[in-house]
Amino acid sequence: MPKVDRRILKTQEALKKAVIELMSKKNFDDITIQEISDTANLSRGTIYLHYLDKYDLLDKLIESHIDELREFCKEAAEMDYVEGTMIWTDYFEKNYSFFSMMLASRGAPFFRKRFLDFLIEEFRKDVDITKGKNEEIEEEILVRFVASAQVGIIEWWFTNDKPVTHDKLAEQLGTLLERNL
């Protein structure tokens, strides 16, 4: 994998932070490229060197977080659900501004669907309907039930300004996943 110039990384990071900051104040559709460039202290032309438009910038921002979560899933594959979920909730805590914008306020409407689709893909790997408590449940129903519940609880956590610690959230989510998968 080729090494990326640090200046490029700093520029892209400034643009992503600018989008999150602006989304905390207004709807994404109302944000202009000029506002992004002003907030990031970069020229409009610089944005177009890195992204096609503001939607491409948002898409790349979302994809980077989904990719990070996908890596955590690989890491957590050998852990129990409580330990694995702890990695996720720690990441949510560290990236609170992004996820709260995406899930709890004026976030991009397509983020929730992409996040749900990602969870469905990941939970599909863990579902076993051949024996035990889930033997007579349709796989698709079980996977969608668990993924939808996970998204719902995470939305609740952000919408209600973290009513429990991320550790407690992980413990509770992990326990529920162990009971249902």
Side-chain angles (χ1 to χ4, degrees):
M1 182 175 206
K3 191 171 184 173
V4 180
D5 187 316
R6 283 187 286 173
R7 293 171 296 180
I8 291 171
L9 294 175
K10 283 178 73 173
T11 298
Q12 291 174 343
E13 189 61 31
L15 291 168
K16 290 173 183 178
K17 283 182 181 178
V19 166
I20 291 170
E21 181 182 330
L22 290 166
M23 286 177 67
S24 71
K25 299 171 186 166
K26 61 196 297 188
N27 189 316
F28 180 75
D29 289 334
D30 298 331
I31 296 170
T32 66
I33 288 289
Q34 188 62 55
E35 289 172 313
I36 296 169
S37 68
D38 290 346
T39 303
N41 198 24
L42 297 166
S43 72
R44 286 173 50 100
T46 301
I47 295 173
Y48 292 114
L49 289 174
H50 298 274
Y51 304 101
L52 299 173
D53 54 24
K54 69 179 186 177
Y55 298 99
D56 185 42
L57 168 56
L58 182 61
D59 189 54
K60 298 288 191 297
L61 175 59
I62 290 169
E63 198 57 40
S64 69
H65 284 285
I66 296 287
D67 287 346
E68 193 74 30
L69 291 170
R70 188 171 281 114
E71 286 303 311
F72 291 148
C73 286
K74 290 176 188 173
E75 242 180 82
E78 300 303 315
M79 299 175 183
D80 67 31
Y81 284 114
V82 174
E83 292 173 317
T85 305
M86 190 68 70
I87 295 170
W88 277 54
T89 60
D90 185 53
Y91 185 72
F92 291 150
E93 179 77 23
K94 289 176 181 166
N95 293 279
Y96 182 79
S97 60
F98 170 78
F99 286 103
S100 64
M101 287 303 106
M102 292 294 113
L103 292 170
S105 63
R106 299 180 179 123
F110 55 88
F111 176 76
R112 187 182 196 282
K113 180 176 179 355
R114 287 190 50 194
F115 188 48
L116 179 62
D117 289 346
F118 163 70
L119 288 174
I120 288 169
E121 171 190 324
E122 290 301 320
F123 285 130
R124 195 175 307 283
K125 298 171 189 173
D126 291 339
V127 167
D128 182 5
I129 57 166
T130 61
K131 60 185 181 290
K133 62 186 173 247
N134 295 328
E135 189 172 4
E136 301 207 9
I137 308 259
E138 290 288 329
E139 179 179 315
E140 193 63 23
I141 291 171
L142 180 60
V143 167
R144 288 185 177 277
F145 169 76
V146 173
S148 296
Q150 183 96 346
V151 169
I153 293 298
I154 292 166
E155 280 179 325
W156 164 82
W157 191 68
F158 284 109
T159 302
N160 291 285
D161 197 29
K162 305 185 285 187
V164 297
T165 66
H166 76 279
D167 293 337
K168 184 71 165 178
L169 179 66
E171 177 189 315
Q172 298 285 301
L173 277 175
T175 300
L176 289 168
L177 288 172
E178 284 175 354
R179 289 181 185 172
N180 289 287
L181 290 178

